[in-house]
Amino acid sequence: MPEINFTVNGRSVSVNTYPAKTLLDVLREDLDLTGSKECCGKGECGSCSVIVGDEVVCSCLILVGQIEGEEIQTVEGVGSLEQLDPLQVAFLECGATQCGYCTPGIIVAVKAYLEKLNRIPTQDEIKEALAGNLCRCTGYVKIIEAVAKAAKQQFV
Amino acid sequence: MRVSEIAMVTPKTVMECLMYLSNRGQDARLLAGGTDAIVQMKEKVGRPKIWINIGKLDELRFIREVGNEIHIGSLSTHTELANSKLIRSRASVLAEAAERVGATQIRNMGTIGGNIATASPAGDTLPALYVLDAELELQSFAKKRRIKIADFFLGPRRTLLQNDEIITKIIIKPMQENEIGIFEKLGPRRAQAISIVNVAIKLSMGSKARQCLAGKIAFGSVAPTIVRASKCEAMLTLGLLTDQHIEDIGKVAWREVSPISDIRASAIYRKDMAGALLIRGLYRLMKRWEDQ
Ligand SMILES: Cc1cc2nc3c(=O)[nH]c(=O)nc-3n(C[C@H](O)[C@H](O)[C@H](O)COP(=O)(O)OP(=O)(O)OC[C@H]3O[C@@H](n4cnc5c(N)ncnc54)[C@H](O)[C@@H]3O)c2cc1C
């Protein structure tokens, strides 16, 4: 089996596995990073969202062979228990999580979104940006509130 | 074939890729953004022996003006198309279509080449490419050819592409000062939805109010391939595009399309919606033209 090298959350890793294994399975099974979740497995729900380079993508539809040399950021790389990312603080303060299954994917998607923002977004823009992340508890109102709060903080 | 048995090669140049294809074309399949190909791999359809990962072919990632054409590298993603200044200003109908594909994650991954090669009757960039008179450049190790997009599609998921060829670029005609375009799509929800019907419209406007000098209309998801609505197109120039005339054009749309019933919608619903989307698109275009 080939050796595949890439960076996860700033750390260089190398895994020996078959190249058509999904990045999601490699993260969870080979690298023990179980923050990213599998839900639909076909790109519709966003639970497996990770950042490759500077763009959010679905790790369930990427094969590990495709990411040789790439830089990956997962939810484990967004803040830590000791030092939460301001975005995570906003989620806590707004109560923007229920069962929590979709939360890692949403945090990652929002992280990528906030990094590219150049002004405070409207509600509709936030909804559009997160249209690829489903929450089956349907806690969207608080999620959108939390994103709006985090976005505002970025510009004060 | 088990997923764990599938090999992968990652060519560094287009030539290297074409060499693989000419040797192993039968066993190999190109992998770009993977948003169609990997879903299919998981569903156990279209599992190749080897993935040819073309994601690193930066030669195929460009959007530029060349003479009086716009050239789009086949690896350009929907996000890149939607954000491109050139596409937004000179081929806005394509930017609008790309913006309506899937959701952020899918637009970041999915490429225009993949959207074309998948040849789904519902592919969202396709009607836009039809009204922009797109041509495709197909390249194999031995030769290059350029063909009109309408000639490329043979049916749902069937194209002229040979198994030693790749789509290298898409060539479109930029829109002129007096041209306006719009893309409309109907799906079960706004994001992440395969089109039940979609339509792209491009009009050349005259100097009189609501005077249309020529126009192109292409529907998706209502026939085995994209269809140009030639009767509706002919009506565009028969009179000024008054609200009444727009309604009349919309009424003719059902004669242009031959949809099937499937799990997403019935044929009759699709016919009705084809007309409704066309009317909505024309109204919105007139509003934009008048507000300009
Ligand atoms: C959740 C979800 C939502 C979606 N929503 C939409 C939508 O709203 N509208 C829409 O139109 N589509 C949608 N799609 C489908 C898909 O995202 C698009 O068709 C996308 O453009 C495919 O591009 P890709 O790069 O991912 O192709 P891939 O999956 O990499 O490839 C698809 C096919 O094209 C071939 N191919 C790829 N590149 C080339 C090339 N350069 N030359 C020759 N052959 C090539 C591959 O061999 C393969 O057979 C959606 C998909 C998912 C998973």
Side-chain angles (χ1 to χ4, degrees):
Chain A
M1 280 196 286
E3 183 180 280
I4 299 156
N5 300 290
F6 53 100
T7 309
V8 182
N9 302 327
R11 185 169 61 96
S12 299
V13 296
S14 90
V15 288
N16 284 291
T17 188
Y18 55 93
K21 188 166 184 174
T22 63
L23 173 59
L24 176 63
D25 286 347
V26 169
L27 289 171
R28 294 181 55 87
E29 295 169 5
D30 299 65
L31 298 171
D32 209 20
L33 293 168
T34 53
S36 313
K37 302 285 186 270
E38 174 148 56
C39 180
C40 74
K42 40 186 172 176
E44 286 175 19
C45 74
S47 300
C48 65
S49 296
V50 301
I51 300 173
V52 176
D54 63 351
E55 285 187 332
V56 60
V57 295
C58 294
S59 62
C60 75
L61 293 184
I62 296 189
L63 305 185
V64 67
Q66 292 175 280
I67 57 146
E68 173 74 43
E70 299 282 354
E71 285 184 22
I72 315 292
Q73 190 180 8
T74 67
V75 70
E76 288 88 348
V78 185
S80 63
L81 270 184
E82 299 73 45
Q83 190 159 19
L84 293 177
D85 188 277
L87 145 72
Q88 290 165 321
V89 176
F91 266 63
L92 281 177
E93 287 172 358
C94 295
T97 191
Q98 288 188 46
C99 84
Y101 198 85
C102 69
T103 310
I106 292 185
I107 293 286
V108 167
V110 176
K111 181 79 185 162
Y113 178 59
L114 293 180
E115 305 244 299
K116 292 191 177 176
L117 273 186
N118 50 18
R119 60 182 167 81
I120 296 176
T122 63
Q123 273 236 351
D124 281 348
E125 285 168 341
I126 296 173
K127 284 187 189 168
E128 181 67 45
L130 288 185
N133 291 83
L134 300 185
C135 163
R136 289 210 59 187
C137 309
T138 69
Y140 293 108
V141 171
K142 291 181 173 183
I143 293 170
I144 292 161
E145 263 172 36
V147 179
K149 183 167 185 172
K152 255 187 225 129
Q153 282 169 357
Q154 212 168 291
F155 292 96
V156 291
Chain B
M1 195 81 189
R2 291 190 187 174
V3 170
S4 59
E5 292 162 354
I6 305 176
M8 185 183 295
V9 294
T10 302
K12 291 192 183 60
T13 63
V14 171
M15 268 306 157
E16 194 187 335
C17 171
L18 295 174
M19 202 137 76
Y20 277 125
L21 276 180
S22 72
N23 296 330
R24 300 289 306 268
Q26 299 288 350
D27 299 332
R29 196 167 167 205
L30 298 172
L31 179 57
T35 57
D36 281 316
I38 301 307
V39 174
Q40 286 171 11
M41 178 188 87
K42 291 185 171 189
E43 286 168 351
K44 302 190 174 67
V45 291
R47 279 191 188 170
K49 289 194 178 134
I50 310 172
W51 284 121
I52 301 188
N53 167 28
I54 58 174
K56 308 269 155 126
L57 297 178
D58 290 336
E59 300 167 64
L60 300 181
R61 227 181 272 282
F62 56 83
I63 300 175
R64 57 181 169 241
E65 208 164 355
V66 180
N68 55 0
E69 297 172 338
I70 295 174
H71 291 197
I72 302 170
S74 56
L75 274 188
S76 307
T77 63
H78 298 295
T79 298
E80 284 162 352
L81 289 172
N83 291 342
S84 154
K85 277 212 180 83
L86 182 60
I87 300 296
R88 293 179 76 90
S89 62
R90 308 294 304 279
S92 56
V93 57
L94 179 58
E96 286 185 19
E99 212 158 38
R100 296 297 305 276
V101 170
T104 313
Q105 288 87 338
I106 299 298
R107 288 192 293 273
N108 286 344
M109 304 169 78
T111 64
I112 186 167
N115 202 228
I116 296 169
T118 286
S120 157
D124 282 323
T125 65
L126 309 181
L129 292 173
Y130 270 65
V131 301
L132 292 167
D133 301 300
E135 294 184 66
L136 308 179
E137 185 182 272
L138 311 181
Q139 198 175 342
S140 66
F141 196 67
K143 65 176 200 295
K144 228 184 224 182
R145 52 181 179 148
R146 191 165 150 165
I147 58 166
K148 293 199 169 73
I149 189 148
D151 297 334
F152 181 71
F153 297 106
L154 305 173
R157 311 215 169 263
R158 290 198 306 123
T159 72
L160 276 185
L161 194 76
Q162 301 297 305
N163 58 23
D164 63 347
E165 278 180 318
I166 81 169
I167 304 170
T168 45
K169 68 180 169 204
I170 297 96
I171 301 116
I172 55 175
K173 294 232 176 68
M175 290 163 63
Q176 303 302 307
E177 286 279 288
N178 70 327
E179 288 184 330
I180 47 178
I182 197 165
F183 174 79
E184 293 283 348
K185 156 175 179 175
L186 175 73
R189 63 181 274 235
R190 201 183 135 79
Q192 220 72 311
I194 299 173
S195 288
I196 290 169
V197 185
N198 57 20
V199 64
I201 309 170
K202 187 186 79 176
L203 305 179
S204 313
M205 301 302 289
S207 48
K208 279 192 240 155
R210 293 202 174 197
Q211 180 192 24
C212 174
L213 303 175
K216 294 195 166 130
I217 300 169
F219 282 109
S221 216
V222 287
T225 62
I226 307 302
V227 284
R228 281 276 298 280
S230 49
K231 294 188 190 76
C232 296
E233 288 179 2
M235 286 179 74
L236 289 169
T237 53
L238 286 183
L240 300 179
L241 290 179
T242 57
D243 291 1
Q244 183 57 50
H245 192 47
I246 288 176
E247 296 283 338
D248 291 343
I249 295 172
K251 281 184 200 133
V252 175
W254 68 272
R255 281 203 270 164
E256 307 266 18
V257 301
S258 45
I260 53 164
S261 294
D262 64 12
I263 51 165
R264 281 178 281 129
S266 69
I268 290 177
Y269 181 67
R270 281 199 163 95
K271 283 193 167 198
D272 281 349
M273 289 307 108
L277 278 195
L278 178 57
I279 291 172
R280 182 195 291 175
L282 287 170
Y283 271 136
R284 287 185 173 166
L285 270 180
M286 288 307 106
K287 181 94 179 56
R288 279 189 205 168
W289 182 242
E290 284 163 356
D291 289 349
Q292 233 176 41

